[in-house]
Every structure is written in C-alpha cells, then in structure tokens.
Amino acid sequence: MSFSSEIKEELSRQIPAARHCRLAEAAAILGFGSHVTEGAESPHSVKMHTENLAVARKYFTLLRKTFNIDMNVSVKQNQSFRGSKSYDITSYADLSAVKHTLVQNLCCKRAYIRGAFLASGSISDPEKGYHFEIVCNTETEAERLQQLIGSFAIEARITQRKNHSILYIKEGSQIADILNVMEAHVALMNFENIRILKEMRNSVNRQVNCETANLNKTVSAAVKQIEDIRYIERTIGFEQLPENLAEIAELRLEQPGTTLKELGAMLHPPVGKSGVNHRLRKLSMIAEELRDNKEEKLL
C-alpha cells in the first residue's frame, strides 16, 4: 500500500462528531471528486464515482450519519486495470446543502481540507521525496483551498497541469503541518520518523564528505611538503638550514602522516600548530627558490 493510500485509509475511519464538520467534509469530497453527476433516476439524486474504497466508505458514512438517507452502492471490476475496482454511490436526496456548505469554523476547515485530499489528493513516499498535492477542477477552487490551508500558516502553491489547477506543498515541515491539520496522526508520526532519519543520514553524509575533503587536503599538503623537503635534502642538505627548520624537516620525513598539531608536540620544545605550519611554509619557499635558481642556470 502506498503512503497516500495509508493516509486515506486512516482518514476514512475518522468521522467528525459535529454535523457541520461532516457537511464540510462531504462538500469537499463532492466538490473535488471529478466524477460527480446528477443522477437520471431522480431530480435530487447525486452519483459519485471513485476507484478508492476508502473514499467511497467515507462518503457513504458521512451521508448516512448526517442525513440518514437511502443510497445505492455498486462495485465494478475494471477491465483496464487488473484487480482494480470502481465504486458508484447514488444518493436520492437534495444535497445542495452539502455542495454549497460554508466553511467557517476552524474544525470545518480541517474537515474540508481532509475531504479534498481524500477526493483528489496524493502525497509522495517521503523516503523518495517531499510532495503533497490536491488536484482542483478550476483555478478558483484551487485559490479557495489555498486560502483555507493558509489560515493554518501553511504556504501552498498553485500550478497548472493540463486542464487542472494543482495545489501543492514541497517542504517537508509544511507537509507535516498539513497532515496534522487533516488529523492524520499515525501518518504524521510515520512521516516525521522518516524525515528525522533522512536528515540524520544527510547530516552524516555531509560530515563524512567534509572530513574526506579535509583529509584529502591534508594528505595533498603533506605530500607537497615531503617533496619540497626531499628536494632540499638532495640539493643543499639539511646542514645548510637553520636548526629549527632542519628539525621539522627531519621530523616530517619520519612522520609523513602525522598532523601539524602532533608534529608540534614532538618538537623540543613543543610548538603550536601555527608555528609548525610557519616552518613548513618556509621550507616550501626555500625549495621553490632552489628550483628557480636551477632553472635560471639552465637558461
């Protein structure tokens, strides 16, 4: 089962206690369900079509608890998709109150957003990425939903895809907030657990990459230092160097993989990291001068 399906399954089992919230959620399911048509059997019948059992169950339960009306439920085996089924729910009552309900209270806003997600929403697997979206039939519908979501301090954006307006959220923390708004608490915990693990892995990877880069830089510097020191040894010898430079030159050759701080502790008397670096830089400058002099003689 996909992460979206798990959320919808959880939300389908939550029935608001207040009638106005049930109306708000039913209104969203009707409004965002793309296969809602006036039935031919009765002037007041409405047929809703969905391929999601959780949505069908939630819609049926909302109407039964809110209006206590008769409904027909039919299940069809789809030919195009192996094993998938579609559900038609036809209600024989005037549902104009549902389709035109006003969303005023905070609890009703939560219910409406929940219904919109049930009807036409989806969320990507957080292991792969962060993407929450609800497909809206019109731009006006998307903007209205955007305002509702914005009342919870969540920034949703709108884009166009074919003939639909898509309301979407890309930021992980904001997706966590919208799950909380919809009261998908189990899904929220699962989402946050995955998000924390991903952030920890990313943090470890960044630290490892940084340490690897520093190690490569240190190794490259040590190799260059040893090359310069050996060049000095071959050309003029350590006897021509000041005592402090000769000491560090010999120690670096003996300890090629040792850090500057550790090298400084081995000197007599001990020298700090900056002091060791200063001496090694002087050796590199001497080596460069010797190379330049050799090139001038060759010319």
Side-chain angles (χ1 to χ4, degrees), residues 64-251:
R64 174 59 59 84
K65 286 186 173 292
T66 305
F67 295 103
N68 194 25
I69 56 178
D70 292 329
M71 286 172 281
N72 284 344
V73 180
S74 61
V75 182
K76 298 178 183 178
Q77 188 76 38
N78 293 332
Q79 299 296 324
S80 55
F81 296 100
R82 190 174 171 184
S84 87
K85 297 177 181 178
S86 62
Y87 307 88
D88 288 321
I89 300 176
T90 305
S91 54
Y92 300 97
D94 185 0
L95 298 182
S96 58
V98 175
K99 290 191 286 183
H100 302 291
T101 189
L102 296 176
V103 181
Q104 299 275 349
N105 301 327
L106 198 65
C107 56
C108 293
K109 291 179 181 180
R110 290 178 182 271
Y112 190 87
I113 295 168
R114 183 166 57 240
F117 177 78
L118 275 168
S120 61
S122 64
I123 180 171
S124 62
D125 183 348
E127 287 281 9
K128 299 177 181 177
Y130 301 135
H131 184 82
F132 172 99
E133 72 172 42
I134 296 176
V135 179
C136 306
N137 295 316
T138 65
E139 188 172 358
T140 301
E141 188 177 70
E143 290 173 351
R144 188 181 301 118
L145 182 61
Q146 184 184 42
Q147 290 177 358
L148 284 178
I149 292 175
S151 66
F152 293 94
I154 299 173
E155 183 180 359
R157 299 179 182 276
I158 298 173
T159 187
Q160 300 299 315
R161 186 188 302 157
K162 295 183 180 179
N163 296 325
H164 294 90
S165 294
I166 311 298
L167 179 141
Y168 69 93
I169 302 171
K170 300 286 287 185
E171 189 177 334
S173 61
Q174 297 259 293
I175 293 175
D177 290 341
I178 196 71
L179 289 175
N180 186 50
V181 166
M182 296 190 300
E183 299 178 305
H185 300 307
V186 174
L188 173 60
M189 286 191 294
N190 293 336
F191 182 85
E192 287 290 55
N193 286 338
I194 293 172
R195 197 159 71 98
I196 290 169
L197 288 174
K198 282 182 68 175
E199 289 178 357
M200 287 179 61
R201 285 198 297 265
N202 291 337
S203 177
V204 169
N205 288 337
R206 284 193 297 269
Q207 186 174 353
V208 168
N209 291 337
C210 182
E211 290 177 354
T212 300
N214 289 336
L215 180 60
N216 291 335
K217 185 177 179 181
T218 300
V219 170
S220 298
V223 169
K224 179 65 168 59
Q225 291 162 6
I226 291 171
E227 287 178 354
D228 290 340
I229 292 169
R230 291 198 182 280
Y231 185 78
I232 294 171
E233 186 180 29
R234 290 195 305 271
T235 52
I236 62 173
F238 295 157
E239 298 81 7
Q240 303 298 320
L241 296 175
E243 184 178 350
N244 63 338
L245 296 184
E247 183 183 17
I248 193 65
E250 291 175 353
L251 187 58

